[in-house]
Amino acid sequence: MNESVNIVAIVSKLLDSEKYKEALSIPYDEEHIENFKENCWEIVSVIIKKIDGDTLTIKPSLYAACEQLLSIILERSTPEEALLVFIEQIELAKNDAQFSVSLTPLQQVLKKLSGKRGRSLEWCFNSIRTYIEGISIPDLNLEEKECLLLDSIPNFRRITKIYSMLPLFYDPFIDEIMKSSTDNTKAKEIVSVFLISLLGKPFIYFNVDPNLGAESEIRENCKIIVKDICKLEKNVLKLLVHVDVCYRESQNTKSNQKKDLNEEDPYTHRDKINITSLSGFFYAILSGHFEIPSYSVPQIFKKEYLIHSVMPCVIHLLSFTEYGPLAKAITLCKVLVNFLDNKTSDALLSSSVHFELCKSLVNVAIYSNYESIRKSAISLIEIHVNKFQYTGRCMLIKYLLDSSNHSGIIGYSITLYKNCVDEAFKEEVLSDCFTGPQLLSMIKKICLLPHGAQSDLMELADQIITALNFLRYLTLKDVNNLSGIRDCFTMIENDYLDPLRTGLNMSKAHYEEKLKEIEEGKSASEDQNNISVTVCGNLLDNIPTKNKKEIIYSALNAFHLIEGLVARLTECINLNKNCT
Amino acid sequence: MTVDQGVDITKNGDRGVLKRITREGEGTETPNQGCHVSVHYVGTLLDGTKFDSSRDRNEPFEFCLGKDGVIEAWKIGVPTMKKGEVCILTCAPEYAYGASGSPPKIPPNATLQFEIEMIDWRLEDLSPTKNKGILRHILEAGTGLDSPNDGALVTVELEGRLQGDSKIFDQRTVTFSLGEGTEHNICEGIERALEKFLKDEKSRLIIQPKYAFKSEGNSELGVPPNSVVEYVVKLNNFERAKDSWSMDGNEKLEQAKIFKEKGTNYFKQNKFQLAIKTYKRAVSFVDMMVTRMRKQKKLTEILLSVHLNLALVYLKVTPIHHFEAKDHATKALKFDENKVKGLFRRDQALLGLGEADLALKDFQKIIEIEPQNKVDFMNIYFSQAAANQIIVCRAAIEKQKRKEKQLYANMFDKFAKHDNEVTGSRSLYIHFSIACFFYFKLADPADFVVP
């Protein structure tokens, strides 16, 4: 009895004192054989614990000895037991070296268990995923070319390294599946589901864009993974049907019912196949950033079907705040939007994804931390809107006007509308949607002062300036009253320009007063400055007088500009009226 | 081979999709909307460049007709193919990828040619769990966009036979409310399928026993137990039942009342399953309803009586559904906790569930309430019945206790025996205390009177 307690200690001691030969001879030692076999699982965990992150470089011989010992143990044990032991080791691994050293024996065990592979393979993949998910991903605020730096961030490096080990691990199983003549759909699905899950988190945070000048390291590994998925699944668009289901499930997280969960179908395992992993996957397939075997994307599906099926992925990726997913969303979105023909029928808009896309893009355009992303989002809004026929464009623009409460975006939407009108005027017959009541309702939306003359003109400046520009354009262009603009003049005059003039006078007076206050009584204003503003717990400094003045001047400037535009518009309206 | 060869199969006759059969298929049947089709295909441009082929993937291409968005030409062409048929479809760009093409493989304005081999198809599965319980083969497509809903009044022509048998066992035109088909010897499978029918649609349905006449069969129609049936059903007309969300409060109350009465009628005719269905429908109208005080009374009345009735029906069906009965009685009691009927039914259910203790409490409550309601003969009846039931309960509890006591007593003996063998005063002590604990807990003090 006593000896058996010791054998673990003996091996441990020998390894510690660098007597590797002796350690390796123990399993072959006649007196220890039985003992060794009985305690091999304890020995496994002792051996693996010996390995640190730098063992391979500092003590290569220790590493080699450990590897060898593990393989000896493997030979002498039943595979079923060994499987569980090594799965445990993967999950408990304290560093990547331990993970790596456990991976090889695990693969050997799986190879031995060829008959009943399905479930055990799944367990192994699950534990690998658990290990990967344990590595945290910091948000580094890097954008565009700066992303190349990700390769040198420790945790990103670790994941890159693990991803590079994986193909070696699963390759033999893919080979086996491809060669086998019997039906092994289940095994095939298990492997491909795992591979797809690798393209979810943390993959989406990585930079894999080949157009940045240099290729990131992880890209190489992902290329292999993507290729392997194609090899297994053959027709990758089969997976489109899952997007819709996953997206809807992700939308109502409240009612987290797992009703139709089918244990037998790997595609229903939401820890692996979820909207995030599918988004990463379809980004890889459709973005053009990866080489996809030509056979794996059938040319049978309608493009509308593709767009509607994959768009939820874009919308999902746009809901992140990190650069990685956002950049992927933008790339994928560009591809999808370009699938649309010019002058696409607005019947397509019966699918709500187009509106949801607009909403997400607007959101990103306003709130994203990254300038390049904001700009791309804005330009995508324009490209997307302009892909439709005029009626469709009007629907989308109306949606933009109604759903956003940001003066800049509203101003931008008005410009989009103006451009549409301009384009429509070049055609022989002016489209219905720019005339009569439809025009009137649009103008009402455009010329909106939410609180009449008391609206905050400073905040609304963008919207007001573009609105005035648009009206000026239309009054000058449409001298023959094709659009029926002339019938709107009274409305514009009474409901918009009048309150606007009053508002301008009030605002100007108010700001000029403020300016005087600042210039005259600095001390007086300091007394009033007992308000402080905190953002995220940081106290914001009071605005220095110089900047205060700048703000007021810029506001006054804007008011003057608006005043000028109002005057010009009145002139144009009069001109137009006399044009008969 | 010239481009123009083949028969124009477009509706408009614009020669946008031309079909040329190179190998005839077998039989006369073709797949229709909803079928899962599996084909092999090779797609080429007019200059002979192959742009896509399922043969390169070495697996047939599968898709669902009408659901997955295949290009227009396929939508028109594939449903015309028989099993085993090979044909060549020549598709004009308007029926394929249009003016913009599908870069990089398909150039703008490309006419495409597909050689398609129809391998097989699976019929559309309408069963809720997709276990092939109800298969539909559309013979004549319907019109419009609307389908009947639960409760809709439908008129159908049907013709039923056993699978693989040419003898027709059922042929008639019948009008009924969807959901109450069993009244008219119409099985669940047909009803479920009808919810997916369009007007004037004629389809063949293959229904597994689970959704047809189950293990009982139907003696009236001459359907033996466990038989798969095949129906040809045509939906001649239907009138949709109003969905509850589109009704206002009064309508909902009205509908609930109607269904409650229907349910009571079925109950009187001993059609318990139908009664349950209609009662539940009644509940569904008003369950989530929030109303102002004025209607509240009416609402409670209906819910109270429907739940009471449901509890009763569940007690009457074979096998008795005690659990559901208890549930509904409890729901009813929420509206009126002193409702004797409700208490009584819950007790019966509880007794059936083996919860004699709880049942006893409720029966005693009935006796308590009874004196206040002396005038009400019904309640007197209940209270007398309750008194009887209390005796039953007591007996049941007594029996249960005796059983347990016996059990623990045995345990006691066993421990003692064990301890005698293994001499160890400590373990004896522990076992003794465990056994005593149970014994005293259950035993009457009378047991301890020394004779």
Side-chain angles (χ1 to χ4, degrees), chain A residues 356-369:
Chain A
E356 279 172 49
L357 176 71
C358 274
K359 198 169 160 193
S360 310
L361 284 174
V362 165
N363 219 4
V364 169
I366 300 173
Y367 298 110
S368 175
N369 289 333

Side-chain angles (χ1 to χ4, degrees), chain A residues 244-262:
Chain A
D244 187 47
V245 184
C246 291
Y247 181 65
R248 259 187 263 153
E249 270 175 33
S250 74
Q251 290 303 91
N252 38 9
T253 38
K254 273 170 272 162
S255 55
N256 213 346
Q257 304 157 327
K258 296 195 169 149
K259 23 183 178 169
D260 288 340
L261 196 88
N262 182 357

Side-chain angles (χ1 to χ4, degrees), chain A residues 12-25:
Chain A
S12 171
K13 214 183 253 170
L14 285 173
L15 288 174
D16 282 341
S17 50
E18 302 189 1
K19 292 177 182 155
Y20 306 129
K21 259 191 192 155
E22 283 92 326
L24 283 172
S25 68

Side-chain angles (χ1 to χ4, degrees), chain A residues 188 232-236 238 241 260 293-303 305-306 338-342, chain B residues 41 51-53 56-59 61 63 67-72 74-75 97 99-103 105-106 114:
Chain A
K188 189 188 85 181
L232 284 168
E233 285 296 339
K234 290 178 181 142
N235 165 12
V236 290
K238 260 190 292 206
V241 286
D260 288 340
S294 64
Y295 59 78
S296 45
V297 184
Q299 300 285 335
I300 297 301
F301 292 108
K302 265 196 225 170
K303 281 191 273 182
Y305 174 69
L306 275 183
N338 282 329
F339 276 168
L340 288 169
D341 290 325
N342 288 328
Chain B
Y41 69 89
F51 62 82
D52 185 17
S53 163
D56 291 350
R57 286 193 287 275
N58 211 4
E59 70 176 17
F61 178 71
F63 69 104
K67 254 195 205 152
D68 294 350
V70 290
I71 54 172
E72 216 48 42
W74 276 51
K75 237 184 193 172
Y97 286 100
S100 54
S102 173
K105 286 186 191 159
I106 297 172
F114 288 99

Side-chain angles (χ1 to χ4, degrees), chain B residues 242-396:
Chain B
K242 232 176 172 185
D243 288 311
S244 73
W245 51 262
S246 65
M247 295 182 193
D248 64 11
N250 278 328
E251 272 180 287
K252 281 186 194 170
L253 282 176
E254 214 36 58
Q255 285 293 327
K257 236 188 208 164
I258 292 172
F259 275 93
K260 191 195 115 188
E261 272 151 29
K262 257 191 193 175
T264 312
N265 276 334
Y266 284 133
F267 178 67
K268 281 179 189 155
Q269 298 163 25
N270 285 342
K271 289 172 182 158
F272 298 131
Q273 290 303 340
L274 267 176
I276 289 173
K277 226 178 186 174
T278 38
Y279 279 139
K280 282 203 165 156
R281 231 179 121 69
V283 173
S284 75
F285 280 113
V286 285
D287 208 14
M288 290 299 170
M289 204 162 117
V290 193
T291 61
R292 269 161 292 157
M293 288 307 286
R294 204 156 39 84
K295 280 186 212 146
Q296 191 61 44
K297 213 181 140 215
K298 265 190 189 168
L299 179 68
T300 354
E301 259 171 34
I302 289 179
L303 277 174
L304 177 66
S305 65
V306 171
H307 281 304
L308 280 176
N309 290 352
L310 269 171
L312 181 62
V313 186
Y314 275 122
L315 286 172
K316 295 268 183 196
V317 290
T318 32
I320 300 176
H321 286 51
H322 289 112
F323 190 78
E324 284 83 354
K326 185 199 86 181
D327 249 19
H328 284 289
T330 312
K331 277 184 189 155
L333 288 170
K334 256 192 223 152
F335 296 106
D336 180 0
E337 59 174 330
N338 288 333
K339 189 78 182 172
V340 175
K341 263 191 208 173
L343 285 167
F344 189 74
R345 280 173 198 160
R346 180 160 77 179
D347 299 340
Q348 284 181 314
L350 283 170
L351 207 54
L353 286 170
E355 302 272 9
D357 304 15
L358 287 174
L360 184 62
K361 251 186 230 156
D362 278 358
F363 280 129
Q364 278 163 344
K365 194 166 177 192
I366 296 175
I367 304 280
E368 264 169 47
I369 297 165
E370 187 265 334
Q372 303 164 10
N373 296 320
K374 279 239 159 95
V375 223
D376 190 338
F377 285 106
M378 199 62 182
N379 279 355
I380 292 175
Y381 156 75
F382 273 120
S383 69
Q384 278 168 357
N388 289 336
Q389 288 288 353
I390 287 177
I391 298 169
V392 177
C393 267
R394 287 235 170 90

Side-chain angles (χ1 to χ4, degrees), chain B residues 78-105:
Chain B
V78 174
T80 66
M81 296 180 70
K82 294 174 194 141
K83 190 174 167 181
E85 180 179 312
V86 180
C87 77
I88 291 176
L89 289 184
T90 308
C91 327
E94 302 83 72
Y95 290 87
Y97 286 100
S100 54
S102 173
K105 286 186 191 159

